[in-house]
């Protein structure tokens, strides 16, 4: 999995691990168009490859903002992209310091460590935990599987 390290100059969560690409949606923007735009802007994903981005569902979480004070409830769309061996992301807009291609067992260990230390931007660990569940890196036989699944799928939409 390609992981990004956020630029130290970012005002929120500087220097933490992040997804290949992510971002908010402008008013009237649709989710798939937004992620394709963000993928190009943040990681240099060419249009041909961005066209292969697939919706993968969504996750929800409750956490604190970067100040540690404001409780935040959010629902995130999730997308998958199989990049292929010929693609190497590049930081285009200055929001990413570097990208690293990380073996999945290491990604799982990093997400597990997130509980004790802050390695990822908090909502990114949630998205990656969802990926690990969906792709079988976390098994229904593992302790806590149903609890994690329930937490990732419980949302209050208004």
């Amino acid at each position: 999995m390609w992981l990004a390290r956020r630029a130290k100059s970012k005002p929120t969560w500087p220097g933490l691990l992040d997804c290949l690409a992510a971002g908010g949606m402008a008013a009237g923007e649709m989710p798939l168009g937004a992620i394709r735009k963000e993928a190009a802007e943040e990681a240099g994903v060419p249009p041909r490859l961005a066209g292969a981005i697939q919706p993968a569902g969504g996750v929800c979480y409750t956490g604190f903002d970067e100040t540690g004070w404001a409780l935040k409830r959010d629902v995130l769309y999730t997308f998958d992209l199989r990049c292929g061996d010929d693609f190497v992301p590049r930081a285009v807009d200055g929001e990413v310091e570097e990208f690293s291609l990380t073996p999945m067992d290491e990604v799982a260990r990093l997400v597990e460590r997130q509980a004790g230390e802050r390695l990822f931007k908090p909502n990114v660990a949630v998205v990656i935990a969802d990926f690990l569940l969906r792709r079988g890196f976390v098994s229904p036989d593992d302790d806590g599987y149903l609890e994690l699944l329930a937490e990732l799928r419980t949302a209050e939409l208004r």
Side-chain angles (χ1 to χ4, degrees), residues 28-154:
E29 191 172 29
M30 299 305 288
L32 198 51
I35 190 57
R36 288 179 175 153
K37 177 179 66 80
E38 290 291 335
E41 290 175 1
E42 293 182 5
V45 176
R48 170 195 54 78
L49 186 56
I53 292 173
Q54 294 293 309
V59 297
C60 60
Y61 71 99
T62 301
F64 292 94
D65 70 5
E66 61 277 357
T67 68
W69 290 99
L71 193 60
K72 181 180 178 181
R73 183 81 177 148
D74 207 354
V75 177
L76 305 172
Y77 292 98
T78 58
F79 300 90
D80 290 345
L81 175 61
R82 184 173 297 274
C83 296
D85 294 338
D86 60 337
F87 174 74
V88 176
R90 57 184 174 78
V92 176
D93 64 6
E95 294 186 12
V96 172
E97 185 174 302
E98 65 180 351
F99 292 96
S100 60
L101 186 56
T102 308
M104 289 308 301
D105 59 340
E106 178 65 14
V107 171
R109 280 193 294 275
L110 290 169
V111 170
E112 189 174 16
R113 283 179 46 201
Q114 177 77 3
E117 59 186 298
R118 184 168 285 156
L119 302 172
F120 289 93
K121 180 181 170 204
N123 62 359
V124 171
V126 174
V127 170
I128 293 174
D130 174 69
F131 180 86
L132 293 169
L133 281 169
R134 289 187 294 104
R135 295 303 179 117
F137 294 100
V138 178
S139 167
D141 294 342
D142 292 335
D143 287 338
Y145 178 88
L146 285 177
E147 292 83 355
L148 179 58
L149 184 63
E151 286 296 320
L152 292 171
R153 302 294 185 265
T154 305

